[in-house]
Structure formats: C-alpha cells, structure tokens
Amino acid sequence: MFLTRSLTVDGKRSTRHQHMNHVSSTGSLQKYSSCSTIFIDDSTVSQPNLKSTIKCVALAIFYHIKNREPDLRLLEIFDEKCHPLTKEPVPDDYKDHNPEHKHIYKFIRTLFNAAQLTAECAIVTLVYLERLLTYAEIDICPSNWKRIILGAILLASKVWDDQAVWNVDYCQILKDITVEDMNELERQFLELLQFNINVPSSVYAKYYFDLRSLADANDLNFPSEPLCKDRAQKLEAMSRISEDKFKDIVKSSLKRSASLDNIAPRRSAAILS
C-alpha cells in the first residue's frame, strides 16, 4: 500500500519498492451503456466526495514525486518529452521542477470531470499507479507523472467504471494527443502490470483507510463512508473478468497499437449501492 509500502502519513518515503493546463476543461463526455441507455451517475458518490478523494490521491502522488529515489529508472513511453501531451514545446528544464499538489489535482480532476468518473475510480487509479511503480521498478517524477497518471486512469475507468470511456473520447479532453499514442500507452501500462488488474476488496479497503489517514495528517477532508460490501464484491468480480479478457486478447494481438476499447467490459446499467 502507498503508506505501508512507500509512504508514511507525513509523506516521507520508507522503502524503495514498495507547464500545466494541458487538458481541456470545457464540457464533459456523455457516456452510454451497452444498451444505449443514458449514463446514470453513481448516487453513492457525491461531487464533494469526489473532490476530496481526488485531492487525497493527488497528495499521495505528490509525495511519491517529492520523495523519489535520486537514481530513478525512466521508461520512454511515459516521458513527456518523447510523447508530449500538448503541441507546445516541453521546457528544457521540465525534469527539474516538481509539480505542486494543486497541479496534480487539477490534471486528475479535469479528466475525471470530463469523463464523469467516480471517487472509487480515483482510488483504483492510485492502486494501479503504485502497482506500476513496483512491478516496473520505476519512480514517478516531473517528466513522467502526467502520462503515468493518464495510463492508470485509462485502465481504472475501463475496469471499474459502470460505463467505459473509449480512448478516442480521452482525445477530446487532451486535444493534442493521438489515439495511437493513447492506445500504446495503455498497452504498455497493462504489460508492465503483467496483466494484474485485479483489486481485491481487501486491497481497496486498505487504500481507502490509508488515504483517510493521509488526509487526517494533512488537514484534508475525506469521505467518511467506505465502499459497501456488495459494491466491493461486484467491483472485485469485474476486475477479475477484465483481467482474464485483457490477458487473452492482448497477448494474442499482433497489432501493437491496438486498443483495449473493444474488450473493455460493458455494463447494461449503473450498479447502485
């Protein structure tokens, strides 16, 4: 977990392993289920809870960047210099300046608002992000944090959200990124996770309470209600099904740029607690 494995509640790392405005903030994507029924918002997650959860997730990521190892390993697919999210030139000193907490929050919040994602999805995004850091033995830093977060959101939204958002839809939010780049980011992220996208309810609960401890230590608000038992079991089952599908289909695919859009689980209606 992000506190027991790599951070303490004051944001200090305990072990190794364990330029903004790149997104369009106007409008949101209208999402539909596989039966073409209009998107139903999750009534158990209010907007204040979403805002508070994203603030805490962004803070955990901020501390990861701040307390990273000096000799970190970088992968090209996440490097914003090699794969920019905007047509604007990336500054030469882009590797030298840590993003502020508010910049990380703004980046995540804009994507979540536009794609109409839930607070639960934000927690799973952090699970996938930290799993990537451990499996790939890399650190998150000023040059790669946006693309690592984007990759984690891509997977989390397809596996855990009631209506999947397609990669081409994210290209409406990040105006200058190509769908081919988005597909390749998603594919490599999944392979680096070794196709392990299963999140047991116990893992989700641990992250929830760790985030609440982080919020308390930093005078932030955090939702007081954890995931209900039925919802947790349904989400766990969804991640297991998706993991099997992703593993079988992606490994058999010969197209490196193929997207997981065609195999993301489709739900006919939102699951309400």
Side-chain angles (χ1 to χ4, degrees), residues 56-71:
C56 292
V57 169
L59 184 61
I61 295 172
F62 168 79
Y63 282 133
H64 269 297
I65 298 172
K66 179 181 178 181
N67 299 307
R68 67 188 181 275
E69 296 290 335
D71 298 322

Side-chain angles (χ1 to χ4, degrees), residues 76-86 147 150-151 154 167-168 170-171 174 176-189 256-259:
E76 179 187 326
I77 188 62
F78 301 118
D79 193 331
E80 197 176 344
K81 189 78 169 181
C82 300
H83 303 276
L85 298 179
T86 174
R147 289 182 62 86
L150 176 59
L154 286 176
N167 287 358
V168 67
Y170 282 104
C171 293
L174 297 159
D176 297 325
I177 193 171
T178 65
V179 67
E180 291 79 14
D181 182 24
M182 197 87 72
N183 293 346
E184 183 64 11
L185 172 65
E186 178 186 63
R187 184 191 68 81
Q188 290 200 36
F189 199 108
R256 293 178 59 85
S257 61
S259 168

